[in-house]
Amino acid sequence: MLGGISRHREHTGIVAIAAIVVLGPAAAPAAADGVPDFRPEQWGLQSVGAQELWPETQGQGITVALPGASVHADHPDLVDNLTVDEEFGGNDGDADTGSAAAALVAGHGHGMDADGGVLGVAPASGLLVIPTGDRLAAAVRHAADSGAQVVLLPEIPEGTDLTGATRDAVAAGALVVGPADDRADPNVLAVGGMDEDSELISGSPDPGAIELVAPGADLETAGPDMGQVEVTGTEYAAAMAAGAAALLRSAHPQLRPEQIREALVEGSQPGPDGLPSLHLPFAEAQAAGTAQDVPLFDEELADRAEEGPAVPVWVWFAMVGLVLVLGVALIVVWVRRSSADPYGVKAERALEEAEIAEQRATEAPPASRRKKGGRRRKG
């Protein structure tokens, strides 16, 4: 059973047949005109307005890591977006829960026109799944070191402290998203779940522990046996928020993790108990406004430049002078070589003259046989 599932419903019939017959990736995140759409209704996508951003970005170029998760690696809604890294453990854990969360992030549907299965918030983003047992902190650090721009945490076991690992992940440039609980971690965007009536789902933590609310009840997503299930749980609301973060990071790569986090929270709409509720069109407007003042280049390098050069100035001058001297020396050598018989003409001519001189010396008669000049005079 999936953790946090209120109703477990596997879809059969046409959807199952399409899943078995066609296992290729979705050609597009929506069915083509005139093609029947066999996907289930996904109220969560509509609630957060994800499809309004898809003409601009679907999360391409962004990797969302799921440390501590296992998945059905051959599920047709995930297969081409998915990488499973088994450095910290085998992919043999609760694959039902992991697949459900992964598909809410980046499910791409299946069928010739993606007309079956389910779609995630960021269907073109990549998924890096890192199964692990009791090495969750190491897996979180590994996810950030592997280049993941968004890290989605699972439900944290009691007694597990990830504060150091999440701090390192943020320092490495990743936005860490996780299900809200009563253990506050300032490095994590803590997400609570709500239902279609904009009420907090059962089992939610105290509202003071929630930073952002997202759909987390009765969500259609990838399930076992290549089918779909309906799930409820705070971890699935966090998956929706992680997909939203992937969209914003793809659209505005110059923004830092804390700026994306701020855009998601500040660019929200009123939710249950007055909490900010995820709304991607508003969040995108917030992120775009912030991005206007942030140029598209490596800000870390810019900060280093503002701090001043790490090498003394005289060393730079010495290096420049050395380069100039070497350049002049190379030019002189090249000129001399190019002007000093470059084709070997002089050497060949000298050899020919030596051969001619030797030949003449050989043909000349001996000195004793030569006639002495002048006539004898008569007495």
Side-chain angles (χ1 to χ4, degrees):
M1 293 293 292
L2 290 177
I5 297 181
S6 60
R7 297 197 301 273
H8 184 143
R9 186 179 67 209
E10 297 185 20
H11 297 270
T12 55
I14 298 177
V15 175
I17 295 172
I20 295 173
V21 175
V22 183
L23 298 181
D33 292 340
V35 176
D37 189 348
F38 299 121
R39 292 193 305 269
E41 193 73 21
Q42 294 183 252
W43 78 269
L45 291 179
Q46 299 172 4
S47 173
V48 302
Q51 287 128 321
E52 295 185 36
L53 270 65
W54 286 354
E56 177 183 355
T57 178
Q58 295 171 23
Q60 53 268 30
I62 300 300
T63 297
V64 179
L66 284 75
S70 293
V71 294
H72 298 296
D74 58 350
H75 197 289
D77 292 343
L78 299 174
V79 63
D80 290 308
N81 286 20
L82 181 65
T83 299
V84 179
D85 185 339
E86 296 186 300
E87 179 174 343
F88 296 92
N91 186 33
D92 52 7
D94 184 3
D96 291 351
T97 298
S99 297
L104 290 171
V105 175
H108 53 59
H110 61 260
M112 294 299 293
D113 295 289
D115 58 349
V118 295
L119 298 175
V121 178
S125 61
L127 294 166
L128 174 62
V129 173
I130 310 174
T132 182
D134 57 358
R135 302 179 62 191
L136 184 56
V140 170
R141 290 187 173 95
H142 180 68
D145 292 340
S146 299
Q149 296 93 337
V150 180
V151 175
L152 172 61
L153 299 179
E155 289 188 322
I156 309 301
E158 290 292 338
T160 302
D161 183 9
L162 293 182
T163 306
T166 56
R167 180 182 61 246
D168 293 343
V170 172
L175 174 61
V176 183
V177 182
D181 55 31
D182 293 323
R183 293 168 293 178
D185 184 343
N187 309 304
V188 178
L189 173 61
V191 183
M194 69 176 187
D195 58 24
E196 287 190 72
D197 297 325
S198 294
E199 298 291 339
L200 289 176
I201 63 176
S202 177
S204 295
D206 184 83
I210 299 174
E211 187 175 359
L212 182 69
V213 174
D218 304 327
L219 301 175
E220 294 281 353
T221 185
D225 302 324
M226 297 189 297
Q228 286 78 48
V229 293
E230 197 172 79
V231 299
T232 294
T234 309
E235 65 269 36
Y236 304 119
M240 297 285 290
L247 288 184
L248 295 189
R249 297 218 73 173
S250 176
H252 306 288
Q254 72 270 44
L255 295 184
R256 299 187 301 271
E258 60 269 23
Q259 292 173 313
I260 296 295
R261 178 175 178 172
E262 180 182 8
L264 290 170
V265 175
E266 297 297 327
S268 60
Q269 57 187 359
D273 292 348
L275 293 168
S277 179
L278 177 62
H279 189 264
L280 271 165
F282 292 168
E284 159 60 20
Q286 181 81 16
T290 303
Q292 289 180 351
D293 300 324
V294 182
L296 271 170
F297 66 91
D298 191 329
E299 295 191 7
E300 182 179 352
L301 294 179
D303 293 340
R304 292 178 183 176
E306 292 176 359
E307 293 172 0
V311 181
V313 175
W314 68 267
V315 175
W316 290 108
F317 280 110
M319 292 176 63
V320 172
L322 179 61
V323 171
L324 291 175
V325 170
L326 290 175
V328 172
L330 290 174
I331 292 174
V332 171
V333 171
W334 177 78
V335 171
R336 288 182 176 178
R337 288 185 176 181
S338 62
S339 60
D341 193 20
Y343 301 104
V345 175
K346 292 182 180 180
E348 185 178 356
R349 184 177 299 169
L351 181 61
E352 290 179 353
E353 290 178 352
E355 290 177 352
I356 292 173
E358 183 180 357
Q359 184 178 2
R360 288 178 177 176
T362 303
E363 293 176 352
S368 58
R369 296 177 58 185
R370 293 177 183 172
K371 294 182 179 180
K372 295 182 179 181
R375 292 183 179 181
R376 292 183 179 181
R377 301 176 66 182
K378 291 181 180 182

